[in-house]
Amino acid sequence: MAFTFQINHDVNFDHNEKLLKKTEDNRTKLHHTTVEPVDLVDIIADHSAMNGFKAVSNKNKIESLADYSLGKNGKLVLDFGDHQVGRFSINIDSVGSPMDSPLFLHLTFAETPAEIGIDANSYEGWLSSAWISEEFIHLDVLPTRLELPRRYAFRYVEIEVKDSSPKWLASFSKPIVTTESAVSLQDVPKVEIKDPELKKIDEISIKTLHDCMQEVFEDGPKRDRRLWLGDLRLQALANYKTFNNQKLVKRCLYLFGSMPTTDGKISANIFTNSNPIPDDTFMYDYSLFFISVLKDYFDNFRDTEVLNDLYPVAKKEMDLALEEVDSQGKLQPNEKWPVFVDWSNNFDKQTAGQAILIYVLKQFVELAKVQANEDAAKYQRLIEKYSNFAQKQLFDKTKGFFVSGSKQEINIASQVWMVLAHVLTDEQNKQLMTNGIKRFFPVTGIATPYMYHHIAEALFESDHQKEGIQLIKNYWGKMIQLGADTFWEAFKPEDLHFSPYGSPIINSYCHAWSCTPTYLIRKYLINE
Amino acid sequence: MAFTFQINHDVNFDHNEKLLKKTEDNRTKLHHTTVEPVDLVDIIADHSAMNGFKAVSNKNKIESLADYSLGKNGKLVLDFGDHQVGRFSINIDSVGSPMDSPLFLHLTFAETPAEIGIDANSYEGWLSSAWISEEFIHLDVLPTRLELPRRYAFRYVEIEVKDSSPKWLASFSKPIVTTESAVSLQDVPKVEIKDPELKKIDEISIKTLHDCMQEVFEDGPKRDRRLWLGDLRLQALANYKTFNNQKLVKRCLYLFGSMPTTDGKISANIFTNSNPIPDDTFMYDYSLFFISVLKDYFDNFRDTEVLNDLYPVAKKEMDLALEEVDSQGKLQPNEKWPVFVDWSNNFDKQTAGQAILIYVLKQFVELAKVQANEDAAKYQRLIEKYSNFAQKQLFDKTKGFFVSGSKQEINIASQVWMVLAHVLTDEQNKQLMTNGIKRFFPVTGIATPYMYHHIAEALFESDHQKEGIQLIKNYWGKMIQLGADTFWEAFKPEDLHFSPYGSPIINSYCHAWSCTPTYLIRKYLINE
């Protein structure tokens, strides 16, 4: 995920060594497979294609790759047939006279055709251009096997000879990717999904999750390659229904739980490339979701060791969150600890934040009942107080919607989160979403699968199964129609060229928070 | 050196395993030193400077390097104080928030300021742009010590942060170069050179030679980094007067001697990056110079093993060269085996080629006298025949010059090489160069130190010591005035922006064939 940059240099973090040790104890061994490309393709401009480009098989045969030698400015594009996460290697030789200069190569790794079609030099977006998956390499000696040390996420690899010399060409053979994931697709239980469209959506959700499950649950293997709490919550839910890998969730819980700020606040994300480092970015709802992830984990595994270790961290987090609520029971958002809800900052988030607080409080009380019954009653009273405030002060009975902020704004996020928090009765929830469908559908202005997930889940939770299925098909199904091998970080069905970053080449096209249809399908539609 | 590209795919090479083994037996161990930068500089455009740029010390202190953190598009230039050949390494850390993106770096290694001042993207010359000494590097984890695996030749290193992220900067510390050379500057005998200008020229000649002496005598450590016969001949001569490293010459002789074509022709150069590979480029005079290098080597070391091994190769080479001479005793140049003499193709090379043949024949006869006396008389007769032809048919007594080609062209190369071959008497030689000085000085249209060397040597050989010294000062001394740390591949005193390749960024500024002033000074001016 991405967000307005926060910089908080004055924050200090705890490092609970006992808990940090458990993050190490719960490292998973990565699975590796070897994948070869299946085709040679051309990347063609096409305005009707996602981001304006498509890949088209060309007349060259992948079996004869070594025959298509390249000189200065020569290019070819390998198609690995599906989304891959791993290390790339290839044999390179010279053809012709002896190699009288270095070989200068440019390699571009692309999840989608547009990342090759669009010139990387044109990128002027606000996210670091260092994320563009390209390498410039000089090789002094051929033949060689080029083994790139970095991990890439890609389906296509463009190989461009920036220069050889007039006396020889470069020839390529035996390209492979050695894939990496904490899990194996074979581990997913087979379930019968009769609807072929949903079946395909389920498969691609699982592939998306698979490719994001690395040494931690990453948000995206292309970018940002790190552990975000909001993504983790959804990934863990999808994981329980599919790979059901316990250790990786446990490790991630300990990572967040071992390094809150000295005040007890949990970072929105952790960098885990080397020694884990909590980011100086804080989001109110993401901090709270630590409790959600712990609750969902405990529901699945009844792991009392983890609960014993992390309940005090969860309680501290909850207490910090409660400080943002006024005496009436109303959340008063603090710009230093903003409520995320969605990328868009074009809607008021106060009521959605209130709902998320209630949603998490309810989960916390369940944990308290297991762990410290004396807490349960106290926090239960707060649920009632905040719910009561919401029902009385935030719900406009005349209009049939929750309103948000001083301008009494009616937006989809407030309704969705109030449904998920079950602040109203089931009947009222159903009516609320009936009203919501009339007012907000087809949804526009929302670019994240993260928000779409919560809309879909609210439909299922409010007895709108048909509309929930339709939303999944309209959103995730549309990505598949547009060629998705894995689900994307950002997608606006009404704007195929949308990027939150000013250029689609920096987008992540395998992104954790889009993996949830498998969870929704397997939770709400499959009788296991 | 450089040259019009030859491509000869139909040539086959011998591989004499006995001799190839000796190339391995005579490998030299490289010497290493560690050098730190001495300053931080700005590269400033200045039309009066060599290639239009100069380096100027800026207000930043190299001792505080780590304080000058760089964000997107930030740059700094390290000055290592002198020309270096070796591996570069540096510590890199992030400053600010945790590193939320890779670091994308661009490094430029420059022997001269212009290689940084001129945008590498603007290069459209005919030599491979892969020679431009730059790297583009993505680093996923900081802090790190970046240790670049390739060897560079440089004095300046520009570090450019292509991108970090808005949340952090990159900080650099402890840059070093680990230098490489087959020899140590300490090995050079101290001699007294009273003239301070010549003393400096001698020093820089030696530094140039030092930096080119690697696993073989390279033509240039920046480019082409390989063993050219024409350069080897001059390097070996300078080496005998300075480092006097026997093994390296021996190894190079065996490299050429072990891999002639199946017809016996010796390549103009050998690639030695991996298993040695003779190039498919052939030049008449360069092939002959194998004999010169063997003769000069034998004169210095009286190494009969090498002579026993390589005399048959030398004789075969000589016999092949003789096939290009007609029945009158006139060299008839063959475009498939061109006479090089100099880069310029704007003058006729037939007479210079004839002189070179006679020059080498005389050396060959000396070897024959040691090795196979029965050959000596036979080849001695050819010297007389070819010299006679030259004196009678190529020397225009009226004009006082040798003429060349069907157009009876009078050029400096013909005179110089006829002097060096001592085809005329000493008195006539002196007069010839007196005429030459009047007609050709100041020299223009010659861009190579290689040709300037032969002009200077011809002056010394023809009793024009004063003019010889003046030419050295005007040419090599001028490079020093323009900031040379080592002598250059190409230099036209009358055109400071000249490049034979269409851009000065591809030129080599430490080039073997320019190292000869130390040889000329120590041979002709110092009484040892």
Side-chain angles (χ1 to χ4, degrees), chain A residues 119-145:
Chain A
D119 181 4
N121 284 319
S122 69
Y123 177 71
E124 292 183 347
W126 55 272
L127 261 195
S128 175
S129 60
W131 282 119
I132 296 170
S133 301
E134 59 175 349
E135 303 295 348
F136 298 84
I137 295 161
H138 288 93
L139 294 169
D140 293 314
V141 181
L142 296 181
T144 193
R145 182 151 190 91

PDB file of all heavy atoms in Angstrom, chain A residues 119-145:
ATOM      1  N   ASP A 119       8.467   4.056 -21.384  1.00  0.00           N
ATOM      2  CA  ASP A 119       9.890   4.342 -21.131  1.00  0.00           C
ATOM      3  C   ASP A 119      10.080   4.750 -19.669  1.00  0.00           C
ATOM      4  O   ASP A 119       9.505   5.722 -19.193  1.00  0.00           O
ATOM      5  CB  ASP A 119      10.332   5.478 -22.060  1.00  0.00           C
ATOM      6  CG  ASP A 119      11.800   5.831 -21.872  1.00  0.00           C
ATOM      7  OD1 ASP A 119      12.491   5.146 -21.090  1.00  0.00           O
ATOM      8  OD2 ASP A 119      12.248   6.798 -22.505  1.00  0.00           O
ATOM      9  N   ALA A 120      10.924   3.998 -18.968  1.00  0.00           N
ATOM     10  CA  ALA A 120      11.150   4.270 -17.544  1.00  0.00           C
ATOM     11  C   ALA A 120      11.705   5.675 -17.316  1.00  0.00           C
ATOM     12  O   ALA A 120      11.466   6.291 -16.279  1.00  0.00           O
ATOM     13  CB  ALA A 120      12.101   3.227 -16.956  1.00  0.00           C
ATOM     14  N   ASN A 121      12.421   6.198 -18.315  1.00  0.00           N
ATOM     15  CA  ASN A 121      12.980   7.552 -18.161  1.00  0.00           C
ATOM     16  C   ASN A 121      11.909   8.623 -18.074  1.00  0.00           C
ATOM     17  O   ASN A 121      12.180   9.735 -17.635  1.00  0.00           O
ATOM     18  CB  ASN A 121      13.902   7.882 -19.340  1.00  0.00           C
ATOM     19  CG  ASN A 121      15.234   7.186 -19.203  1.00  0.00           C
ATOM     20  OD1 ASN A 121      15.791   7.108 -18.110  1.00  0.00           O
ATOM     21  ND2 ASN A 121      15.741   6.666 -20.309  1.00  0.00           N
ATOM     22  N   SER A 122      10.696   8.282 -18.525  1.00  0.00           N
ATOM     23  CA  SER A 122       9.627   9.281 -18.502  1.00  0.00           C
ATOM     24  C   SER A 122       8.990   9.399 -17.121  1.00  0.00           C
ATOM     25  O   SER A 122       8.184  10.288 -16.871  1.00  0.00           O
ATOM     26  CB  SER A 122       8.538   8.900 -19.520  1.00  0.00           C
ATOM     27  OG  SER A 122       7.847   7.719 -19.080  1.00  0.00           O
ATOM     28  N   TYR A 123       9.363   8.523 -16.204  1.00  0.00           N
ATOM     29  CA  TYR A 123       8.701   8.494 -14.897  1.00  0.00           C
ATOM     30  C   TYR A 123       9.013   9.748 -14.084  1.00  0.00           C
ATOM     31  O   TYR A 123      10.174  10.083 -13.853  1.00  0.00           O
ATOM     32  CB  TYR A 123       9.136   7.258 -14.106  1.00  0.00           C
ATOM     33  CG  TYR A 123       8.533   7.228 -12.709  1.00  0.00           C
ATOM     34  CD1 TYR A 123       7.181   6.974 -12.523  1.00  0.00           C
ATOM     35  CD2 TYR A 123       9.316   7.485 -11.584  1.00  0.00           C
ATOM     36  CE1 TYR A 123       6.622   6.966 -11.260  1.00  0.00           C
ATOM     37  CE2 TYR A 123       8.770   7.467 -10.313  1.00  0.00           C
ATOM     38  CZ  TYR A 123       7.419   7.208 -10.158  1.00  0.00           C
ATOM     39  OH  TYR A 123       6.868   7.208  -8.902  1.00  0.00           O
ATOM     40  N   GLU A 124       7.971  10.430 -13.648  1.00  0.00           N
ATOM     41  CA  GLU A 124       8.151  11.608 -12.792  1.00  0.00           C
ATOM     42  C   GLU A 124       7.205  11.564 -11.608  1.00  0.00           C
ATOM     43  O   GLU A 124       6.827  12.599 -11.055  1.00  0.00           O
ATOM     44  CB  GLU A 124       7.917  12.887 -13.605  1.00  0.00           C
ATOM     45  CG  GLU A 124       9.004  13.117 -14.643  1.00  0.00           C
ATOM     46  CD  GLU A 124       8.820  14.409 -15.412  1.00  0.00           C
ATOM     47  OE1 GLU A 124       7.737  15.010 -15.319  1.00  0.00           O
ATOM     48  OE2 GLU A 124       9.788  14.798 -16.088  1.00  0.00           O
ATOM     49  N   GLY A 125       6.792  10.381 -11.221  1.00  0.00           N
ATOM     50  CA  GLY A 125       5.844  10.241 -10.113  1.00  0.00           C
ATOM     51  C   GLY A 125       6.494  10.540  -8.770  1.00  0.00           C
ATOM     52  O   GLY A 125       7.693  10.792  -8.676  1.00  0.00           O
ATOM     53  N   TRP A 126       5.682  10.486  -7.723  1.00  0.00           N
ATOM     54  CA  TRP A 126       6.166  10.907  -6.406  1.00  0.00           C
ATOM     55  C   TRP A 126       6.738   9.750  -5.595  1.00  0.00           C
ATOM     56  O   TRP A 126       7.408   9.968  -4.594  1.00  0.00           O
ATOM     57  CB  TRP A 126       5.071  11.645  -5.620  1.00  0.00           C
ATOM     58  CG  TRP A 126       3.793  10.874  -5.453  1.00  0.00           C
ATOM     59  CD1 TRP A 126       2.742  10.860  -6.319  1.00  0.00           C
ATOM     60  CD2 TRP A 126       3.431  10.020  -4.374  1.00  0.00           C
ATOM     61  NE1 TRP A 126       1.758  10.038  -5.848  1.00  0.00           N
ATOM     62  CE2 TRP A 126       2.139   9.520  -4.653  1.00  0.00           C
ATOM     63  CE3 TRP A 126       4.065   9.620  -3.184  1.00  0.00           C
ATOM     64  CZ2 TRP A 126       1.478   8.642  -3.790  1.00  0.00           C
ATOM     65  CZ3 TRP A 126       3.390   8.746  -2.336  1.00  0.00           C
ATOM     66  CH2 TRP A 126       2.124   8.266  -2.648  1.00  0.00           C
ATOM     67  N   LEU A 127       6.513   8.527  -6.020  1.00  0.00           N
ATOM     68  CA  LEU A 127       7.183   7.400  -5.347  1.00  0.00           C
ATOM     69  C   LEU A 127       8.554   7.225  -5.968  1.00  0.00           C
ATOM     70  O   LEU A 127       8.749   7.492  -7.150  1.00  0.00           O
ATOM     71  CB  LEU A 127       6.393   6.109  -5.561  1.00  0.00           C
ATOM     72  CG  LEU A 127       5.463   5.640  -4.463  1.00  0.00           C
ATOM     73  CD1 LEU A 127       5.101   4.182  -4.730  1.00  0.00           C
ATOM     74  CD2 LEU A 127       6.022   5.778  -3.069  1.00  0.00           C
ATOM     75  N   SER A 128       9.483   6.726  -5.200  1.00  0.00           N
ATOM     76  CA  SER A 128      10.864   6.602  -5.658  1.00  0.00           C
ATOM     77  C   SER A 128      10.977   5.814  -6.964  1.00  0.00           C
ATOM     78  O   SER A 128      10.480   4.694  -7.079  1.00  0.00           O
ATOM     79  CB  SER A 128      11.704   5.907  -4.596  1.00  0.00           C
ATOM     80  OG  SER A 128      13.014   5.701  -5.098  1.00  0.00           O
ATOM     81  N   SER A 129      11.658   6.394  -7.923  1.00  0.00           N
ATOM     82  CA  SER A 129      11.906   5.698  -9.198  1.00  0.00           C
ATOM     83  C   SER A 129      12.848   4.510  -9.007  1.00  0.00           C
ATOM     84  O   SER A 129      12.999   3.682  -9.910  1.00  0.00           O
ATOM     85  CB  SER A 129      12.492   6.660 -10.230  1.00  0.00           C
ATOM     86  OG  SER A 129      13.719   7.181  -9.763  1.00  0.00           O
ATOM     87  N   ALA A 130      13.469   4.440  -7.826  1.00  0.00           N
ATOM     88  CA  ALA A 130      14.341   3.287  -7.545  1.00  0.00           C
ATOM     89  C   ALA A 130      13.548   1.982  -7.532  1.00  0.00           C
ATOM     90  O   ALA A 130      14.129   0.896  -7.592  1.00  0.00           O
ATOM     91  CB  ALA A 130      15.065   3.488  -6.221  1.00  0.00           C
ATOM     92  N   TRP A 131      12.222   2.088  -7.439  1.00  0.00           N
ATOM     93  CA  TRP A 131      11.387   0.883  -7.475  1.00  0.00           C
ATOM     94  C   TRP A 131      11.231   0.307  -8.872  1.00  0.00           C
ATOM     95  O   TRP A 131      10.763  -0.827  -9.021  1.00  0.00           O
ATOM     96  CB  TRP A 131       9.993   1.201  -6.925  1.00  0.00           C
ATOM     97  CG  TRP A 131       9.936   1.276  -5.434  1.00  0.00           C
ATOM     98  CD1 TRP A 131       9.590   2.365  -4.683  1.00  0.00           C
ATOM     99  CD2 TRP A 131      10.198   0.219  -4.504  1.00  0.00           C
ATOM    100  NE1 TRP A 131       9.645   2.051  -3.352  1.00  0.00           N
ATOM    101  CE2 TRP A 131      10.002   0.733  -3.208  1.00  0.00           C
ATOM    102  CE3 TRP A 131      10.580  -1.110  -4.643  1.00  0.00           C
ATOM    103  CZ2 TRP A 131      10.189  -0.026  -2.056  1.00  0.00           C
ATOM    104  CZ3 TRP A 131      10.761  -1.879  -3.504  1.00  0.00           C
ATOM    105  CH2 TRP A 131      10.559  -1.332  -2.236  1.00  0.00           C
ATOM    106  N   ILE A 132      11.539   1.062  -9.892  1.00  0.00           N
ATOM    107  CA  ILE A 132      11.371   0.534 -11.247  1.00  0.00           C
ATOM    108  C   ILE A 132      12.304  -0.671 -11.403  1.00  0.00           C
ATOM    109  O   ILE A 132      13.486  -0.599 -11.105  1.00  0.00           O
ATOM    110  CB  ILE A 132      11.663   1.628 -12.299  1.00  0.00           C
ATOM    111  CG1 ILE A 132      10.625   2.742 -12.152  1.00  0.00           C
ATOM    112  CG2 ILE A 132      11.668   1.050 -13.709  1.00  0.00           C
ATOM    113  CD1 ILE A 132      10.929   3.998 -12.956  1.00  0.00           C
ATOM    114  N   SER A 133      11.725  -1.780 -11.851  1.00  0.00           N
ATOM    115  CA  SER A 133      12.469  -3.054 -11.861  1.00  0.00           C
ATOM    116  C   SER A 133      13.325  -3.157 -13.103  1.00  0.00           C
ATOM    117  O   SER A 133      12.965  -3.840 -14.069  1.00  0.00           O
ATOM    118  CB  SER A 133      11.492  -4.229 -11.813  1.00  0.00           C
ATOM    119  OG  SER A 133      10.705  -4.154 -10.656  1.00  0.00           O
ATOM    120  N   GLU A 134      14.449  -2.477 -13.097  1.00  0.00           N
ATOM    121  CA  GLU A 134      15.359  -2.525 -14.237  1.00  0.00           C
ATOM    122  C   GLU A 134      16.781  -2.603 -13.720  1.00  0.00           C
ATOM    123  O   GLU A 134      17.070  -2.202 -12.593  1.00  0.00           O
ATOM    124  CB  GLU A 134      15.188  -1.286 -15.125  1.00  0.00           C
ATOM    125  CG  GLU A 134      15.453   0.005 -14.381  1.00  0.00           C
ATOM    126  CD  GLU A 134      15.416   1.257 -15.254  1.00  0.00           C
ATOM    127  OE1 GLU A 134      15.385   1.143 -16.482  1.00  0.00           O
ATOM    128  OE2 GLU A 134      15.433   2.358 -14.665  1.00  0.00           O
ATOM    129  N   GLU A 135      17.652  -3.145 -14.550  1.00  0.00           N
ATOM    130  CA  GLU A 135      19.072  -3.196 -14.211  1.00  0.00           C
ATOM    131  C   GLU A 135      19.879  -2.829 -15.443  1.00  0.00           C
ATOM    132  O   GLU A 135      19.489  -3.149 -16.568  1.00  0.00           O
ATOM    133  CB  GLU A 135      19.500  -4.604 -13.748  1.00  0.00           C
ATOM    134  CG  GLU A 135      18.738  -5.162 -12.567  1.00  0.00           C
ATOM    135  CD  GLU A 135      18.926  -4.404 -11.262  1.00  0.00           C
ATOM    136  OE1 GLU A 135      19.827  -3.545 -11.175  1.00  0.00           O
ATOM    137  OE2 GLU A 135      18.142  -4.660 -10.331  1.00  0.00           O
ATOM    138  N   PHE A 136      20.987  -2.185 -15.193  1.00  0.00           N
ATOM    139  CA  PHE A 136      21.961  -1.871 -16.240  1.00  0.00           C
ATOM    140  C   PHE A 136      23.233  -2.624 -15.873  1.00  0.00           C
ATOM    141  O   PHE A 136      23.753  -2.451 -14.769  1.00  0.00           O
ATOM    142  CB  PHE A 136      22.262  -0.377 -16.282  1.00  0.00           C
ATOM    143  CG  PHE A 136      21.077   0.488 -16.606  1.00  0.00           C
ATOM    144  CD1 PHE A 136      20.190   0.875 -15.616  1.00  0.00           C
ATOM    145  CD2 PHE A 136      20.861   0.913 -17.908  1.00  0.00           C
ATOM    146  CE1 PHE A 136      19.099   1.689 -15.917  1.00  0.00           C
ATOM    147  CE2 PHE A 136      19.779   1.724 -18.214  1.00  0.00           C
ATOM    148  CZ  PHE A 136      18.890   2.110 -17.212  1.00  0.00           C
ATOM    149  N   ILE A 137      23.712  -3.448 -16.776  1.00  0.00           N
ATOM    150  CA  ILE A 137      24.806  -4.357 -16.422  1.00  0.00           C
ATOM    151  C   ILE A 137      25.894  -4.342 -17.476  1.00  0.00           C
ATOM    152  O   ILE A 137      25.613  -4.454 -18.673  1.00  0.00           O
ATOM    153  CB  ILE A 137      24.244  -5.791 -16.252  1.00  0.00           C
ATOM    154  CG1 ILE A 137      23.297  -5.812 -15.051  1.00  0.00           C
ATOM    155  CG2 ILE A 137      25.371  -6.811 -16.074  1.00  0.00           C
ATOM    156  CD1 ILE A 137      22.366  -6.978 -15.057  1.00  0.00           C
ATOM    157  N   HIS A 138      27.123  -4.197 -17.020  1.00  0.00           N
ATOM    158  CA  HIS A 138      28.278  -4.353 -17.907  1.00  0.00           C
ATOM    159  C   HIS A 138      28.911  -5.718 -17.655  1.00  0.00           C
ATOM    160  O   HIS A 138      29.188  -6.066 -16.500  1.00  0.00           O
ATOM    161  CB  HIS A 138      29.333  -3.287 -17.613  1.00  0.00           C
ATOM    162  CG  HIS A 138      28.955  -1.915 -18.064  1.00  0.00           C
ATOM    163  ND1 HIS A 138      28.326  -1.002 -17.252  1.00  0.00           N
ATOM    164  CD2 HIS A 138      29.122  -1.290 -19.265  1.00  0.00           C
ATOM    165  CE1 HIS A 138      28.127   0.126 -17.930  1.00  0.00           C
ATOM    166  NE2 HIS A 138      28.598  -0.018 -19.144  1.00  0.00           N
ATOM    167  N   LEU A 139      29.157  -6.444 -18.719  1.00  0.00           N
ATOM    168  CA  LEU A 139      29.844  -7.730 -18.596  1.00  0.00           C
ATOM    169  C   LEU A 139      31.135  -7.666 -19.392  1.00  0.00           C
ATOM    170  O   LEU A 139      31.119  -7.362 -20.595  1.00  0.00           O
ATOM    171  CB  LEU A 139      28.957  -8.863 -19.123  1.00  0.00           C
ATOM    172  CG  LEU A 139      27.683  -9.094 -18.301  1.00  0.00           C
ATOM    173  CD1 LEU A 139      26.744 -10.047 -19.034  1.00  0.00           C
ATOM    174  CD2 LEU A 139      28.021  -9.634 -16.918  1.00  0.00           C
ATOM    175  N   ASP A 140      32.245  -7.930 -18.712  1.00  0.00           N
ATOM    176  CA  ASP A 140      33.549  -7.845 -19.372  1.00  0.00           C
ATOM    177  C   ASP A 140      33.934  -9.140 -20.054  1.00  0.00           C
ATOM    178  O   ASP A 140      34.758  -9.122 -20.972  1.00  0.00           O
ATOM    179  CB  ASP A 140      34.630  -7.479 -18.349  1.00  0.00           C
ATOM    180  CG  ASP A 140      34.444  -6.071 -17.801  1.00  0.00           C
ATOM    181  OD1 ASP A 140      34.201  -5.167 -18.626  1.00  0.00           O
ATOM    182  OD2 ASP A 140      34.522  -5.885 -16.582  1.00  0.00           O
ATOM    183  N   VAL A 141      33.388 -10.248 -19.588  1.00  0.00           N
ATOM    184  CA  VAL A 141      33.806 -11.558 -20.108  1.00  0.00           C
ATOM    185  C   VAL A 141      32.578 -12.394 -20.491  1.00  0.00           C
ATOM    186  O   VAL A 141      31.677 -12.584 -19.683  1.00  0.00           O
ATOM    187  CB  VAL A 141      34.629 -12.334 -19.046  1.00  0.00           C
ATOM    188  CG1 VAL A 141      35.077 -13.679 -19.614  1.00  0.00           C
ATOM    189  CG2 VAL A 141      35.843 -11.523 -18.606  1.00  0.00           C
ATOM    190  N   LEU A 142      32.568 -12.881 -21.718  1.00  0.00           N
ATOM    191  CA  LEU A 142      31.565 -13.842 -22.176  1.00  0.00           C
ATOM    192  C   LEU A 142      32.305 -15.066 -22.692  1.00  0.00           C
ATOM    193  O   LEU A 142      33.435 -14.936 -23.146  1.00  0.00           O
ATOM    194  CB  LEU A 142      30.709 -13.249 -23.302  1.00  0.00           C
ATOM    195  CG  LEU A 142      29.852 -12.034 -22.936  1.00  0.00           C
ATOM    196  CD1 LEU A 142      29.056 -11.587 -24.149  1.00  0.00           C
ATOM    197  CD2 LEU A 142      28.918 -12.316 -21.765  1.00  0.00           C
ATOM    198  N   PRO A 143      31.727 -16.264 -22.645  1.00  0.00           N
ATOM    199  CA  PRO A 143      30.399 -16.569 -22.107  1.00  0.00           C
ATOM    200  C   PRO A 143      30.357 -16.494 -20.587  1.00  0.00           C
ATOM    201  O   PRO A 143      31.378 -16.638 -19.921  1.00  0.00           O
ATOM    202  CB  PRO A 143      30.170 -18.014 -22.579  1.00  0.00           C
ATOM    203  CG  PRO A 143      31.540 -18.589 -22.710  1.00  0.00           C
ATOM    204  CD  PRO A 143      32.409 -17.445 -23.159  1.00  0.00           C
ATOM    205  N   THR A 144      29.145 -16.259 -20.113  1.00  0.00           N
ATOM    206  CA  THR A 144      28.953 -16.250 -18.668  1.00  0.00           C
ATOM    207  C   THR A 144      27.520 -16.653 -18.367  1.00  0.00           C
ATOM    208  O   THR A 144      26.660 -16.612 -19.246  1.00  0.00           O
ATOM    209  CB  THR A 144      29.233 -14.846 -18.084  1.00  0.00           C
ATOM    210  OG1 THR A 144      29.325 -14.928 -16.666  1.00  0.00           O
ATOM    211  CG2 THR A 144      28.114 -13.866 -18.422  1.00  0.00           C
ATOM    212  N   ARG A 145      27.298 -17.075 -17.136  1.00  0.00           N
ATOM    213  CA  ARG A 145      25.920 -17.187 -16.677  1.00  0.00           C
ATOM    214  C   ARG A 145      25.663 -15.980 -15.778  1.00  0.00           C
ATOM    215  O   ARG A 145      26.294 -15.828 -14.736  1.00  0.00           O
ATOM    216  CB  ARG A 145      25.659 -18.489 -15.911  1.00  0.00           C
ATOM    217  CG  ARG A 145      24.192 -18.578 -15.487  1.00  0.00           C
ATOM    218  CD  ARG A 145      23.641 -19.974 -15.362  1.00  0.00           C
ATOM    219  NE  ARG A 145      22.199 -19.929 -15.177  1.00  0.00           N
ATOM    220  CZ  ARG A 145      21.296 -19.960 -16.164  1.00  0.00           C
ATOM    221  NH1 ARG A 145      21.692 -20.049 -17.414  1.00  0.00           N
ATOM    222  NH2 ARG A 145      20.006 -19.887 -15.902  1.00  0.00           N
TER     223      ARG A 145
END
